Amino acid sequence: MGSKKIEVSPFGRQVSKAIRSEMGIHRMSGRELAKTIGRGETYVRERVSDEKEWALSDIAKICDAWGLSPEELISKASQ
């Protein structure tokens, strides 16, 4: 059985775009973000580059680190 790649949804791309934007605002590299949320660099890189979608638990950790509510991040994602 082959594995079928799951495409990143348009909303997932918006969330990733908002995270990339906030990374710039906070002057945070992918390596720093990975360390902050307890994930590997490859894991973060795949999500920042829209290869895979972020887990909700990761989004919660990111928002905590940046002092944002998930709603604020999602609001930025939909702009």
Side-chain angles (χ1 to χ4, degrees):
M1 299 189 129
S3 62
K4 184 177 178 183
K5 184 177 178 183
I6 298 173
E7 293 293 321
V8 176
S9 69
F11 180 67
R13 290 182 190 281
Q14 287 179 316
V15 170
S16 186
K17 182 179 177 183
I19 290 172
R20 285 192 302 273
S21 175
E22 287 295 316
M23 286 173 70
I25 291 167
H26 294 276
R27 298 184 183 272
M28 183 175 274
S29 69
R31 176 179 289 175
E32 292 169 322
L33 182 59
K35 186 176 180 181
T36 298
I37 65 171
R39 295 286 193 167
E41 289 178 53
T42 302
Y43 179 91
V44 169
R45 187 179 320 113
E46 289 173 339
R47 281 140 187 90
V48 168
S49 64
D50 292 332
E51 294 174 31
K52 296 185 179 178
E53 291 201 17
W54 289 97
L56 293 175
S57 58
D58 296 327
I59 293 171
K61 290 176 188 175
I62 291 167
C63 289
D64 285 345
W66 291 336
L68 295 172
S69 71
E71 295 82 9
E72 288 173 305
L73 183 66
I74 299 307
S75 174
K76 292 180 180 202
S78 57
Q79 292 178 353

